[in-house]
Amino acid sequence: MWQAISHQLSEVLGRQFKINEREAILGGDVNQCYCVGDGEQRFFIKLNDKDQLTVFETEAESLRILNEANCVQVPQHFHLGTCRDKSFLILNYLPTKTIDDESGYKLGQQLAQLHLWGDQVEFGFDFDNYIGLTPQPNKWRRRWDKFFAEQRIEWQLQLCEEKGLHFGDIDTITANVAQRLSNHQPKPSLLHGDLWHGNTALTVLGPIIFDPATYWGDRECDVAMTELFGGFPASFYEGYQSVYPLDEGYQDRKDLYNLYHILNHCNLFGGEYMGQAQHIIAKLLLEE
């Protein structure tokens, strides 16, 4: 496998690339990750089964679009390939450390600039992609309430049902989600889509975000997820607000938006997240 990766990298670089250093990078729940080098250049490699190539294809395209926006640093895509029973995505490698107060403020500003970038008028994306290993539908819709209710909450609830995880009548919950958002029609923003602290870091070039689940949606979805698992300094929100202040009502919507990620965790990791999802559904969707 490593010989095949070396050969493919050599073709991409136009010079011989022979791996003489390889280090496993821990922390990912989905892929095997490595830093490899030849003494001259280092790369970050994500590995998974061969049938997961589509996941890497959509990630590479999402990175390309985020790079095009040129608002916040994301990894540079070098190569996408397969060998034997594996698929892999090769990115540039940069040493990282945890975001601090100063870089948190800058990241908040850069995320706000990303959310202001572009002039899309609909919600969705040109292709379906993945959040983790869960398929994420992105059919274009004019109305945000319909998009989020149907392609985020209803979709995840259907996947849960297939795994025997029941939260109530799906049609009723979906209708309640749409109703809660019916008077909220935000400007479509290009989102990272999976913005928890584990998908951010600080490099010598400044803050970086990675592992995107990109689409055009309500910017509050990105901001809400930063609060779901914590880990972002207060300066991050100060930086964001200094560029693009949040709309009134964000505090009332953030748990609804985070329900999507909690349901996805039910699907990815099992029923230990069910209680949290049930609480949000009861509080936000089923109250009279």
Side-chain angles (χ1 to χ4, degrees):
M1 177 183 72
W2 293 111
Q3 184 176 359
I5 290 175
S6 293
H7 176 71
Q8 292 183 39
L9 255 178
S10 296
E11 290 187 336
V12 170
L13 297 173
R15 67 172 181 84
Q16 184 178 15
F17 184 91
K18 183 177 181 181
I19 297 174
N20 57 28
E21 57 175 308
R22 184 176 77 234
E23 178 185 358
I25 307 295
L26 303 178
D29 295 316
V30 175
N31 304 296
Q32 294 176 284
C33 298
Y34 294 87
C35 170
V36 302
D38 68 344
E40 180 179 344
Q41 201 168 1
R42 287 180 169 181
F43 294 95
F44 185 82
I45 298 184
K46 303 173 75 168
L47 282 170
N48 213 309
D49 294 335
K50 198 169 187 177
D51 61 4
Q52 299 299 323
L53 178 63
T54 303
V55 179
F56 289 148
E57 288 174 338
T58 61
E59 180 176 347
E61 182 63 12
S62 295
L63 290 173
R64 184 193 67 78
I65 295 169
L66 289 168
N67 263 308
E68 180 182 317
N70 196 31
C71 295
V72 57
Q73 182 185 193
V74 297
Q76 302 295 310
H77 163 230
F78 273 85
H79 183 59
L80 180 71
T82 60
C83 55
R84 293 187 180 178
D85 60 344
K86 294 292 185 181
S87 61
F88 55 88
L89 177 65
I90 301 180
L91 309 168
N92 65 319
Y93 174 79
L94 288 170
T96 61
K97 59 182 180 180
T98 303
I99 292 286
D100 56 20
D101 286 342
E102 182 179 353
S103 58
Y105 188 88
K106 186 174 182 180
L107 178 60
Q109 290 183 311
Q110 292 174 341
L111 182 69
Q113 290 162 356
L114 175 67
H115 290 164
L116 285 166
W117 179 83
D119 56 0
Q120 180 58 243
V121 297
E122 294 189 332
F123 302 95
F125 215 35
D126 284 338
F127 52 88
D128 296 340
N129 51 20
Y130 296 82
I131 181 152
L133 290 178
T134 306
Q136 179 171 266
N138 293 312
K139 184 179 179 180
W140 292 106
R141 295 296 297 268
R142 282 275 182 178
R143 290 196 56 84
W144 170 245
D145 56 343
K146 298 295 186 183
F147 176 89
F148 186 79
E150 296 169 3
Q151 297 189 63
R152 293 298 179 258
I153 301 304
E154 182 179 28
W155 171 253
Q156 288 284 349
L157 288 171
Q158 289 172 343
L159 295 177
C160 285
E161 284 281 336
E162 292 171 6
K163 295 184 177 181
L165 304 176
H166 307 290
F167 294 96
D169 182 74
I170 293 177
D171 290 341
T172 299
I173 296 171
T174 302
N176 276 322
V177 171
Q179 190 278 325
R180 291 294 178 107
L181 295 174
S182 61
N183 294 322
H184 180 60
Q185 182 70 359
K187 168 190 176 294
S189 293
L190 185 63
L191 306 184
H192 175 280
D194 194 9
L195 196 60
W196 69 294
H197 70 88
N199 287 343
T200 70
L202 177 61
T203 75
V204 294
L205 301 177
I208 189 170
I209 57 177
F210 42 87
D211 294 349
T214 305
Y215 64 100
W216 292 87
D218 184 358
R219 65 193 178 109
E220 292 179 357
C221 291
D222 268 354
V223 179
M225 193 181 186
T226 67
E227 298 193 58
L228 180 58
F229 300 116
F232 284 75
S235 61
F236 167 82
Y237 303 99
E238 295 168 3
Y240 190 95
Q241 292 280 77
S242 74
V243 174
Y244 194 4
L246 290 166
D247 298 330
E248 183 179 354
Y250 162 71
Q251 293 296 330
D252 296 327
R253 291 184 288 268
K254 69 178 183 181
D255 286 349
L256 177 60
Y257 288 158
N258 283 336
L259 177 60
Y260 173 59
H261 299 291
I262 294 168
L263 289 172
N264 186 51
H265 275 60
C266 289
N267 279 307
L268 287 174
F269 306 120
E272 60 263 35
Y273 291 92
M274 279 196 68
Q276 195 174 359
Q278 288 168 333
H279 174 75
I280 294 176
I281 289 171
K283 178 182 177 183
L284 295 176
L285 309 181
L286 303 181
E287 289 178 346
E288 294 294 338

